[in-house]
Amino acid sequence: MGRSHVGYPPGDPEGDSYPVKAILVHRAGPPRELQLAEVARPEPGPGEVLIRVHAAGVNPPDWYARSGFGLIPEPLRPTIAYPFTPGTDVSGVVVAAGPGSTVWAPGDEVFGLLRFPTTIEASKGYAEYTTAPAADLARKPAGLDHVQAAAVPMAGLTAWQYAVDIAPVLPGTTVLVNGAAGGVGHFLVQLARHRGASRVIAVASTCHEGFLRGLGADEYIDYTTTDVAQAAKDVDHLFDTVGGPHGHRLTPAVRDGGLLSPVFFGDYRDADLDRRGIRTRSGQVRSCGAQLAELADLLAAGTIRVGIDSVYPLAEAWRAHERAEQGHLQGKIVLEVSDR
């Protein structure tokens, strides 16, 4: 790597050929397609920084991409250039800055959702080193370790952008969060409370009640034993992080004229929604360092916290994907990449 890039600390060798470890996927398939390999360390371009990754978050787009996006309707499936390194969420330390990048300095601890949504293979978070646009990053809160910080960006920004921008939670409303114990869901529960909802109903599977009440949920519904639409009534705002062909089973819980915010594709029977005057608001999460910095402030203050389901070493990324596909997560799955 050329010396026009500044700030390589002692012990960080230079050179484009300097090998680093990364996960590569050579073809669509099961979790075992995630293979540890050695690659050349990347070089930051204009407006970018090079990050030594300490931890990488595991998100649904990672396992959708690895498996060929089979769950996404065919007209909407992204194309992928193989081989690719998955991962959009990272937490680590800035090693060097590319040309024109002055926001971050070597040694800064940062975290971020990188280059999303663009081609899924662009971010390359499952690696010892990756590059990142400076604008996608925020300073890691001092009170969070890298594993906790890496669990935040995609899930936290999705919840933030929904609850604040796309479909704002209004004070005094009743909010129901389906899939409340998962990555996006557990942030939505907390942000709904922070935004002034008078009643927050959390829907999840067995064993998550204590976790969700600890995050501020007023009510807990175990969907494995209870009909959600019978247990919850007159909901003003439904956030559904699960979607799928049975999404319409939840909508009777929403009052006429209420709001539905699907985070994932689902069948909600649009004709029924129209008849009852239920509005829908949804969108696509986007990288934004400024919004992530606002989340960082809430995390630093203890207003919201991040739940960790499980942690795996980089070499066992395949095990992390196996865990993800089992479902019933409580918080986020994270890869611990480096403690150097």
Side-chain angles (χ1 to χ4, degrees):
M1 189 175 294
R3 293 186 179 273
S4 59
H5 301 284
V6 297
Y8 294 94
D12 264 308
E14 293 193 52
D16 290 339
S17 61
Y18 176 62
V20 299
K21 290 182 173 61
I23 295 295
L24 291 180
V25 177
H26 291 272
R27 59 182 180 271
R32 284 285 190 170
E33 292 297 336
L34 297 164
Q35 297 290 320
L36 189 67
E38 286 194 343
V39 300
R41 188 168 66 179
E43 181 176 357
E48 296 182 339
V49 295
L50 178 66
I51 297 173
R52 185 171 69 247
V53 179
H54 284 249
V58 176
N59 291 295
D62 302 348
W63 61 85
Y64 298 158
R66 187 216 75 231
S67 62
F69 293 106
L71 295 177
I72 295 178
E74 189 169 356
L76 300 176
R77 290 178 192 169
T79 58
I80 300 178
Y82 295 98
F84 76 95
T85 295
T88 58
D89 283 6
V90 302
S91 181
V93 178
V94 173
V95 172
S101 180
T102 59
V103 176
W104 302 106
D108 285 343
E109 294 189 319
V110 295
F111 69 133
L113 168 65
L114 310 184
R115 303 182 182 90
F116 199 85
T118 59
T119 52
I120 195 69
E121 63 268 30
S123 300
K124 303 181 180 180
Y126 291 13
E128 290 183 317
Y129 287 80
T130 193
T131 60
D136 290 354
L137 301 172
R139 192 173 301 279
K140 182 183 76 65
L144 268 65
D145 61 29
H146 285 291
V147 166
Q148 293 169 316
V152 174
M154 178 173 282
L157 280 173
T158 300
W160 177 273
Q161 289 171 11
Y162 264 79
V164 177
D165 295 332
I166 296 169
V169 172
L170 300 179
T173 54
T174 294
V175 173
L176 187 151
V177 180
N178 187 38
V184 175
H186 86 290
F187 284 119
L188 280 169
V189 167
Q190 296 174 86
L191 287 172
R193 172 63 64 214
H194 174 65
R195 297 273 298 174
S198 60
R199 180 178 168 221
V200 180
I201 305 170
V203 177
S205 58
T206 307
C207 299
H208 296 309
E209 181 172 7
F211 172 66
L212 290 166
R213 288 193 183 278
L215 297 181
D218 299 293
E219 300 175 32
Y220 165 80
I221 300 174
D222 181 349
Y223 73 85
T224 68
T225 61
T226 305
D227 184 335
V228 176
Q230 290 296 317
K233 299 292 184 182
D234 299 319
V235 168
D236 297 302
H237 196 161
L238 164 61
F239 289 100
D240 185 11
T241 73
V242 178
H246 304 302
H248 57 85
R249 294 180 180 176
L250 295 172
T251 57
V254 182
R255 66 170 176 82
D256 290 357
L259 183 60
L260 165 66
S261 297
V263 178
F264 191 65
F265 303 101
D267 177 9
Y268 299 99
R269 297 186 177 172
D270 292 347
D272 289 343
L273 298 180
D274 291 343
R275 178 178 55 80
R276 298 181 54 210
I278 295 175
R279 299 159 292 138
T280 59
R281 297 287 185 275
S282 62
Q284 172 66 65
V285 65
R286 296 182 178 276
S287 301
C288 182
Q291 291 178 338
L292 192 58
E294 294 189 65
L295 271 172
D297 288 342
L298 294 179
L299 288 158
T303 304
I304 62 174
R305 59 188 177 91
V306 57
I308 303 296
D309 178 272
S310 48
V311 181
Y312 298 88
L314 179 65
E316 297 179 13
W318 61 272
R319 288 184 58 215
H321 279 222
E322 285 188 340
R323 170 68 190 105
E325 292 183 348
Q326 292 169 3
H328 305 293
L329 303 182
Q330 184 167 290
K332 293 295 302 298
I333 303 171
V334 180
L335 300 177
E336 193 164 29
V337 178
S338 172
D339 59 2
R340 289 182 293 158

